[in-house]
Amino acid sequence: MAQRAGGAPAGRAAELRNKLVDQCERLQLQSAAIAKHMAEVLPAKSQSVLTAANGARELVIQRLMFVGKVCENEEQRLLENVHTEEERVHQSILTQQEHWTEALQKLDALRTYLVDMITNKDDQGLVHAEKEIFERTEVAEGILEPQESVKLNFNQQCVQSPLLHRLWASAVLSCITGSQEILIDEKTVSPHLSLSEDKKTLTFSPKKAKLDLDCPDRFDHWPNALATAAFQTGLHAWKISVEKSCAYKLGVCYGSLPRKGSGNEVRLGFNAASWVFSRYDKEFRFLHAGQPQPVELIKSPAEIGVLVDFAGGEVLFYDPDSCAILFSHRETFAAPLYPVFAVAHHSISLVQ
């Protein structure tokens, strides 16, 4: 009995000893794996990171150097174009100056001659000199009055560059998009539209809502609405989510745009006071003064961005996802511009 009583602890001890040995072996293997990781993997990772980081730096430097070189070449080309155009205009002005100086001399000489005839010739002498006088006055009749000429104007087209335009637009959009909050003015909202509480979403309804149609600011027929504030200087950009709608117009207009009636003077893009990007079903267009210009798109954008350079005289529509320019239009704006919206299917929303 005593042996049995002593055998149980011995067996338990042996079992525990075996477990401890196994545990020691596992710890040894774990330590070996950690040591190997520290001795081999981490240094390799460190070297890999160093190589990848150097490669990334080199890629950034190479690409920026390439872009810089392209920009330098484009700058040189455009500045040469400006110089050539400037020289052309100056030469045209010099040619005109020489021409009109000669014309003035001829006219002055003829006037002096005629005064001399009137002053110093008697009637008989005047009649006798009639043929000579007629021949000389024919010279004056051949000198036309100065006319406005495009040759005397600097042609801004000489600095048009698709590359510079895209680089400029991308740089501007990356800097200012979202920096200005645009809100929709509820006093302008058409009775076919409802405005969300945050003043950023317009939803179309075929039935007119019961609104105060006598309000002078409200559009009473077309499903239009204006933003609360206008701008007349600087750069401005905003984005509109259009993925829910297949019938909308986005752009800018003068505050003088009429609000009442169904005529083209109120219809966005069909008058001289509005510039809009339009979608109807699968048709995309730029509209101004009733002259639509088709815009070919591979896919329908989920968002449309509007960029206005007031001083530069340009309104530009772009895809915020890719910064691709969808359409741009140049105009000398004569009054403050309001962001303007129209929707005739589902809803559109301003995106901050």
Short mmCIF file of all heavy atoms in Angstrom, two decimals, residues 290-336:
data_model
loop_
_atom_site.label_atom_id
_atom_site.label_comp_id
_atom_site.label_asym_id
_atom_site.label_seq_id
_atom_site.Cartn_x
_atom_site.Cartn_y
_atom_site.Cartn_z
N GLY A 290 -28.54 79.98 -76.18
CA GLY A 290 -29.29 79.16 -77.11
C GLY A 290 -28.46 78.42 -78.12
O GLY A 290 -29.00 77.94 -79.13
N GLN A 291 -27.16 78.32 -77.87
CA GLN A 291 -26.26 77.64 -78.80
C GLN A 291 -25.64 76.42 -78.10
O GLN A 291 -24.59 76.53 -77.47
CB GLN A 291 -25.18 78.59 -79.29
CG GLN A 291 -25.75 79.78 -80.06
CD GLN A 291 -24.66 80.74 -80.53
OE1 GLN A 291 -23.50 80.60 -80.16
NE2 GLN A 291 -25.05 81.70 -81.34
N PRO A 292 -26.28 75.26 -78.21
CA PRO A 292 -25.76 74.05 -77.53
C PRO A 292 -24.50 73.52 -78.18
O PRO A 292 -24.36 73.54 -79.41
CB PRO A 292 -26.92 73.06 -77.67
CG PRO A 292 -27.64 73.50 -78.91
CD PRO A 292 -27.53 75.00 -78.94
N GLN A 293 -23.59 73.06 -77.35
CA GLN A 293 -22.37 72.42 -77.82
C GLN A 293 -22.30 71.03 -77.19
O GLN A 293 -22.26 70.92 -75.96
CB GLN A 293 -21.14 73.24 -77.45
CG GLN A 293 -21.13 74.63 -78.08
CD GLN A 293 -19.83 75.37 -77.80
OE1 GLN A 293 -18.75 74.87 -78.06
NE2 GLN A 293 -19.95 76.57 -77.25
N PRO A 294 -22.31 69.98 -78.00
CA PRO A 294 -22.29 68.62 -77.44
C PRO A 294 -21.01 68.31 -76.68
O PRO A 294 -19.94 68.78 -77.04
CB PRO A 294 -22.44 67.72 -78.67
CG PRO A 294 -21.96 68.56 -79.81
CD PRO A 294 -22.30 69.99 -79.47
N VAL A 295 -21.15 67.53 -75.62
CA VAL A 295 -20.00 67.08 -74.82
C VAL A 295 -20.00 65.56 -74.85
O VAL A 295 -20.95 64.92 -74.39
CB VAL A 295 -20.10 67.59 -73.37
CG1 VAL A 295 -18.92 67.07 -72.56
CG2 VAL A 295 -20.15 69.11 -73.32
N GLU A 296 -18.95 64.99 -75.42
CA GLU A 296 -18.86 63.53 -75.55
C GLU A 296 -18.23 62.95 -74.29
O GLU A 296 -17.10 63.28 -73.95
CB GLU A 296 -18.03 63.16 -76.78
CG GLU A 296 -18.59 63.69 -78.10
CD GLU A 296 -19.93 63.07 -78.45
OE1 GLU A 296 -20.21 61.94 -77.98
OE2 GLU A 296 -20.71 63.72 -79.18
N LEU A 297 -18.98 62.07 -73.61
CA LEU A 297 -18.49 61.43 -72.39
C LEU A 297 -18.59 59.91 -72.53
O LEU A 297 -19.56 59.39 -73.09
CB LEU A 297 -19.29 61.88 -71.17
CG LEU A 297 -19.25 63.37 -70.82
CD1 LEU A 297 -20.08 63.63 -69.58
CD2 LEU A 297 -17.83 63.84 -70.61
N ILE A 298 -17.57 59.22 -72.02
CA ILE A 298 -17.58 57.76 -72.06
C ILE A 298 -18.56 57.20 -71.03
O ILE A 298 -19.26 56.23 -71.29
CB ILE A 298 -16.16 57.22 -71.79
CG1 ILE A 298 -15.21 57.69 -72.90
CG2 ILE A 298 -16.17 55.70 -71.70
CD1 ILE A 298 -13.77 57.29 -72.68
N LYS A 299 -18.62 57.83 -69.86
CA LYS A 299 -19.55 57.40 -68.82
C LYS A 299 -20.17 58.63 -68.16
O LYS A 299 -19.64 59.74 -68.25
CB LYS A 299 -18.85 56.54 -67.78
CG LYS A 299 -17.80 57.28 -66.98
CD LYS A 299 -17.23 56.40 -65.87
CE LYS A 299 -16.23 57.19 -65.02
NZ LYS A 299 -15.73 56.39 -63.89
N SER A 300 -21.28 58.40 -67.49
CA SER A 300 -21.96 59.50 -66.80
C SER A 300 -21.27 59.76 -65.46
O SER A 300 -21.18 58.85 -64.62
CB SER A 300 -23.43 59.15 -66.56
OG SER A 300 -24.08 58.86 -67.78
N PRO A 301 -20.80 60.97 -65.21
CA PRO A 301 -20.12 61.26 -63.93
C PRO A 301 -21.08 61.17 -62.76
O PRO A 301 -22.26 61.53 -62.87
CB PRO A 301 -19.62 62.71 -64.12
CG PRO A 301 -19.69 62.98 -65.59
CD PRO A 301 -20.81 62.14 -66.11
N ALA A 302 -20.58 60.70 -61.63
CA ALA A 302 -21.38 60.68 -60.41
C ALA A 302 -21.43 62.07 -59.80
O ALA A 302 -22.39 62.43 -59.09
CB ALA A 302 -20.79 59.69 -59.41
N GLU A 303 -20.39 62.86 -60.04
CA GLU A 303 -20.34 64.24 -59.58
C GLU A 303 -19.86 65.14 -60.71
O GLU A 303 -19.11 64.70 -61.58
CB GLU A 303 -19.39 64.39 -58.38
CG GLU A 303 -19.85 63.69 -57.12
CD GLU A 303 -18.89 63.91 -55.96
OE1 GLU A 303 -17.81 64.52 -56.18
OE2 GLU A 303 -19.21 63.48 -54.84
N ILE A 304 -20.32 66.38 -60.68
CA ILE A 304 -19.85 67.40 -61.61
C ILE A 304 -19.26 68.55 -60.79
O ILE A 304 -19.89 69.00 -59.82
CB ILE A 304 -20.98 67.94 -62.50
CG1 ILE A 304 -21.60 66.83 -63.34
CG2 ILE A 304 -20.47 69.07 -63.41
CD1 ILE A 304 -20.72 66.32 -64.45
N GLY A 305 -18.07 68.99 -61.17
CA GLY A 305 -17.47 70.14 -60.52
C GLY A 305 -17.56 71.36 -61.42
O GLY A 305 -17.50 71.25 -62.65
N VAL A 306 -17.75 72.51 -60.81
CA VAL A 306 -17.78 73.77 -61.54
C VAL A 306 -16.66 74.65 -61.01
O VAL A 306 -16.54 74.84 -59.80
CB VAL A 306 -19.14 74.50 -61.37
CG1 VAL A 306 -19.17 75.76 -62.24
CG2 VAL A 306 -20.29 73.58 -61.73
N LEU A 307 -15.84 75.17 -61.92
CA LEU A 307 -14.74 76.06 -61.56
C LEU A 307 -14.92 77.36 -62.34
O LEU A 307 -15.09 77.34 -63.55
CB LEU A 307 -13.39 75.43 -61.90
CG LEU A 307 -12.16 76.34 -61.81
CD1 LEU A 307 -11.93 76.81 -60.39
CD2 LEU A 307 -10.92 75.61 -62.33
N VAL A 308 -14.90 78.48 -61.63
CA VAL A 308 -15.06 79.79 -62.27
C VAL A 308 -13.85 80.66 -61.94
O VAL A 308 -13.51 80.84 -60.77
CB VAL A 308 -16.35 80.50 -61.82
CG1 VAL A 308 -16.44 81.89 -62.44
CG2 VAL A 308 -17.57 79.69 -62.20
N ASP A 309 -13.19 81.13 -62.97
CA ASP A 309 -12.12 82.12 -62.85
C ASP A 309 -12.69 83.44 -63.34
O ASP A 309 -12.72 83.70 -64.53
CB ASP A 309 -10.91 81.69 -63.67
CG ASP A 309 -9.74 82.69 -63.57
OD1 ASP A 309 -9.87 83.67 -62.82
OD2 ASP A 309 -8.73 82.48 -64.25
N PHE A 310 -13.17 84.26 -62.40
CA PHE A 310 -13.89 85.47 -62.80
C PHE A 310 -12.99 86.42 -63.56
O PHE A 310 -13.33 86.90 -64.64
CB PHE A 310 -14.48 86.16 -61.56
CG PHE A 310 -15.51 87.20 -61.90
CD1 PHE A 310 -16.86 86.90 -61.87
CD2 PHE A 310 -15.13 88.49 -62.24
CE1 PHE A 310 -17.82 87.85 -62.19
CE2 PHE A 310 -16.08 89.46 -62.56
CZ PHE A 310 -17.42 89.13 -62.53
N ALA A 311 -11.80 86.70 -63.00
CA ALA A 311 -10.88 87.65 -63.65
C ALA A 311 -10.37 87.10 -64.97
O ALA A 311 -10.21 87.84 -65.95
CB ALA A 311 -9.72 87.97 -62.72
N GLY A 312 -10.11 85.78 -65.02
CA GLY A 312 -9.61 85.17 -66.24
C GLY A 312 -10.69 84.94 -67.28
O GLY A 312 -10.39 84.57 -68.42
N GLY A 313 -11.95 85.12 -66.88
CA GLY A 313 -13.04 84.97 -67.83
C GLY A 313 -13.24 83.54 -68.30
O GLY A 313 -13.26 83.26 -69.49
N GLU A 314 -13.39 82.61 -67.34
CA GLU A 314 -13.55 81.21 -67.74
C GLU A 314 -14.46 80.48 -66.77
O GLU A 314 -14.38 80.66 -65.55
CB GLU A 314 -12.20 80.51 -67.81
CG GLU A 314 -12.29 79.06 -68.28
CD GLU A 314 -10.92 78.44 -68.52
OE1 GLU A 314 -9.91 79.06 -68.13
OE2 GLU A 314 -10.86 77.36 -69.11
N VAL A 315 -15.35 79.67 -67.32
CA VAL A 315 -16.14 78.73 -66.53
C VAL A 315 -15.80 77.34 -67.04
O VAL A 315 -15.78 77.09 -68.25
CB VAL A 315 -17.65 79.02 -66.61
CG1 VAL A 315 -18.16 79.00 -68.06
CG2 VAL A 315 -18.43 78.01 -65.77
N LEU A 316 -15.50 76.43 -66.11
CA LEU A 316 -14.97 75.11 -66.46
C LEU A 316 -15.75 74.05 -65.69
O LEU A 316 -16.00 74.20 -64.50
CB LEU A 316 -13.49 75.09 -66.11
CG LEU A 316 -12.65 73.86 -66.42
CD1 LEU A 316 -11.21 74.27 -66.70
CD2 LEU A 316 -12.67 72.89 -65.24
N PHE A 317 -16.10 72.98 -66.39
CA PHE A 317 -16.81 71.86 -65.78
C PHE A 317 -15.88 70.64 -65.80
O PHE A 317 -15.24 70.37 -66.82
CB PHE A 317 -18.10 71.56 -66.54
CG PHE A 317 -19.03 72.75 -66.62
CD1 PHE A 317 -18.96 73.63 -67.69
CD2 PHE A 317 -19.95 73.00 -65.61
CE1 PHE A 317 -19.80 74.73 -67.76
CE2 PHE A 317 -20.79 74.10 -65.67
CZ PHE A 317 -20.72 74.97 -66.74
N TYR A 318 -15.82 69.91 -64.70
CA TYR A 318 -14.84 68.83 -64.59
C TYR A 318 -15.41 67.66 -63.79
O TYR A 318 -16.44 67.77 -63.11
CB TYR A 318 -13.57 69.34 -63.91
CG TYR A 318 -13.76 69.76 -62.46
CD1 TYR A 318 -13.48 68.90 -61.41
CD2 TYR A 318 -14.23 71.03 -62.14
CE1 TYR A 318 -13.67 69.27 -60.09
CE2 TYR A 318 -14.42 71.42 -60.82
CZ TYR A 318 -14.14 70.53 -59.81
OH TYR A 318 -14.34 70.91 -58.50
N ASP A 319 -14.74 66.52 -63.93
CA ASP A 319 -15.07 65.32 -63.17
C ASP A 319 -14.17 65.29 -61.94
O ASP A 319 -12.95 65.11 -62.07
CB ASP A 319 -14.83 64.08 -64.04
CG ASP A 319 -15.21 62.79 -63.33
OD1 ASP A 319 -15.40 62.81 -62.10
OD2 ASP A 319 -15.30 61.75 -64.01
N PRO A 320 -14.71 65.47 -60.73
CA PRO A 320 -13.86 65.52 -59.53
C PRO A 320 -13.05 64.26 -59.28
O PRO A 320 -11.96 64.32 -58.71
CB PRO A 320 -14.87 65.75 -58.39
CG PRO A 320 -16.06 66.36 -59.06
CD PRO A 320 -16.12 65.72 -60.42
N ASP A 321 -13.56 63.10 -59.71
CA ASP A 321 -12.84 61.84 -59.47
C ASP A 321 -11.51 61.81 -60.21
O ASP A 321 -10.49 61.35 -59.67
CB ASP A 321 -13.70 60.65 -59.89
CG ASP A 321 -14.87 60.42 -58.95
OD1 ASP A 321 -14.77 60.88 -57.78
OD2 ASP A 321 -15.85 59.81 -59.35
N SER A 322 -11.51 62.27 -61.45
CA SER A 322 -10.31 62.19 -62.27
C SER A 322 -9.69 63.56 -62.56
O SER A 322 -8.60 63.63 -63.13
CB SER A 322 -10.65 61.53 -63.61
OG SER A 322 -11.58 62.30 -64.33
N CYS A 323 -10.39 64.63 -62.15
CA CYS A 323 -9.98 66.00 -62.49
C CYS A 323 -9.96 66.23 -64.02
O CYS A 323 -9.32 67.16 -64.50
CB CYS A 323 -8.63 66.36 -61.89
SG CYS A 323 -8.74 66.89 -60.18
N ALA A 324 -10.63 65.35 -64.75
CA ALA A 324 -10.71 65.51 -66.20
C ALA A 324 -11.63 66.68 -66.52
O ALA A 324 -12.71 66.83 -65.94
CB ALA A 324 -11.24 64.23 -66.84
N ILE A 325 -11.20 67.52 -67.45
CA ILE A 325 -12.01 68.66 -67.86
C ILE A 325 -13.07 68.18 -68.84
O ILE A 325 -12.75 67.61 -69.89
CB ILE A 325 -11.13 69.76 -68.50
CG1 ILE A 325 -10.13 70.28 -67.47
CG2 ILE A 325 -11.99 70.89 -69.03
CD1 ILE A 325 -9.10 71.23 -68.06
N LEU A 326 -14.34 68.41 -68.51
CA LEU A 326 -15.43 67.99 -69.38
C LEU A 326 -15.71 69.05 -70.44
O LEU A 326 -15.95 68.72 -71.60
CB LEU A 326 -16.70 67.75 -68.55
CG LEU A 326 -16.55 66.77 -67.38
CD1 LEU A 326 -17.86 66.64 -66.62
CD2 LEU A 326 -16.08 65.40 -67.87
N PHE A 327 -15.65 70.31 -70.04
CA PHE A 327 -15.86 71.41 -70.99
C PHE A 327 -15.41 72.71 -70.33
O PHE A 327 -15.56 72.88 -69.12
CB PHE A 327 -17.34 71.52 -71.37
CG PHE A 327 -17.60 72.42 -72.55
CD1 PHE A 327 -17.53 71.92 -73.84
CD2 PHE A 327 -17.87 73.76 -72.38
CE1 PHE A 327 -17.74 72.73 -74.94
CE2 PHE A 327 -18.08 74.59 -73.47
CZ PHE A 327 -18.01 74.07 -74.76
N SER A 328 -14.87 73.61 -71.15
CA SER A 328 -14.52 74.93 -70.64
C SER A 328 -14.96 75.98 -71.64
O SER A 328 -14.99 75.74 -72.85
CB SER A 328 -13.01 75.05 -70.39
OG SER A 328 -12.29 74.96 -71.61
N HIS A 329 -15.32 77.14 -71.12
CA HIS A 329 -15.82 78.23 -71.95
C HIS A 329 -15.23 79.54 -71.45
O HIS A 329 -15.20 79.80 -70.25
CB HIS A 329 -17.35 78.29 -71.86
CG HIS A 329 -17.96 79.46 -72.58
ND1 HIS A 329 -18.15 79.49 -73.95
CD2 HIS A 329 -18.41 80.66 -72.12
CE1 HIS A 329 -18.70 80.64 -74.29
NE2 HIS A 329 -18.86 81.37 -73.21
N ARG A 330 -14.78 80.37 -72.38
CA ARG A 330 -14.21 81.67 -72.04
C ARG A 330 -15.22 82.77 -72.30
O ARG A 330 -15.91 82.76 -73.32
CB ARG A 330 -12.93 81.93 -72.83
CG ARG A 330 -11.77 81.05 -72.40
CD ARG A 330 -10.45 81.48 -73.02
NE ARG A 330 -9.35 80.71 -72.46
CZ ARG A 330 -8.72 81.01 -71.35
NH1 ARG A 330 -9.06 82.09 -70.66
NH2 ARG A 330 -7.72 80.26 -70.92
N GLU A 331 -15.29 83.70 -71.36
CA GLU A 331 -16.27 84.78 -71.44
C GLU A 331 -15.77 85.95 -70.59
O GLU A 331 -15.21 85.75 -69.52
CB GLU A 331 -17.62 84.30 -70.90
CG GLU A 331 -18.75 85.28 -71.07
CD GLU A 331 -19.38 85.22 -72.46
OE1 GLU A 331 -19.28 84.16 -73.12
OE2 GLU A 331 -19.97 86.23 -72.86
N THR A 332 -16.00 87.16 -71.07
CA THR A 332 -15.72 88.34 -70.24
C THR A 332 -16.98 88.65 -69.45
O THR A 332 -17.97 89.15 -69.99
CB THR A 332 -15.33 89.54 -71.12
OG1 THR A 332 -14.17 89.20 -71.88
CG2 THR A 332 -15.02 90.76 -70.25
N PHE A 333 -16.97 88.30 -68.17
CA PHE A 333 -18.17 88.46 -67.34
C PHE A 333 -18.36 89.93 -66.96
O PHE A 333 -17.43 90.59 -66.50
CB PHE A 333 -18.07 87.58 -66.09
CG PHE A 333 -17.95 86.12 -66.41
CD1 PHE A 333 -16.79 85.42 -66.07
CD2 PHE A 333 -18.97 85.45 -67.05
CE1 PHE A 333 -16.67 84.07 -66.36
CE2 PHE A 333 -18.85 84.10 -67.36
CZ PHE A 333 -17.70 83.40 -67.01
N ALA A 334 -19.59 90.39 -67.13
CA ALA A 334 -19.88 91.81 -66.95
C ALA A 334 -20.61 92.12 -65.64
O ALA A 334 -20.88 93.29 -65.34
CB ALA A 334 -20.72 92.32 -68.13
N ALA A 335 -20.94 91.08 -64.86
CA ALA A 335 -21.70 91.29 -63.61
C ALA A 335 -21.41 90.12 -62.68
O ALA A 335 -20.87 89.09 -63.11
CB ALA A 335 -23.19 91.39 -63.92
N PRO A 336 -21.74 90.27 -61.39
CA PRO A 336 -21.54 89.16 -60.45
C PRO A 336 -22.26 87.89 -60.91
O PRO A 336 -23.32 87.95 -61.54
CB PRO A 336 -22.13 89.69 -59.14
CG PRO A 336 -22.00 91.18 -59.26
CD PRO A 336 -22.23 91.49 -60.70
#
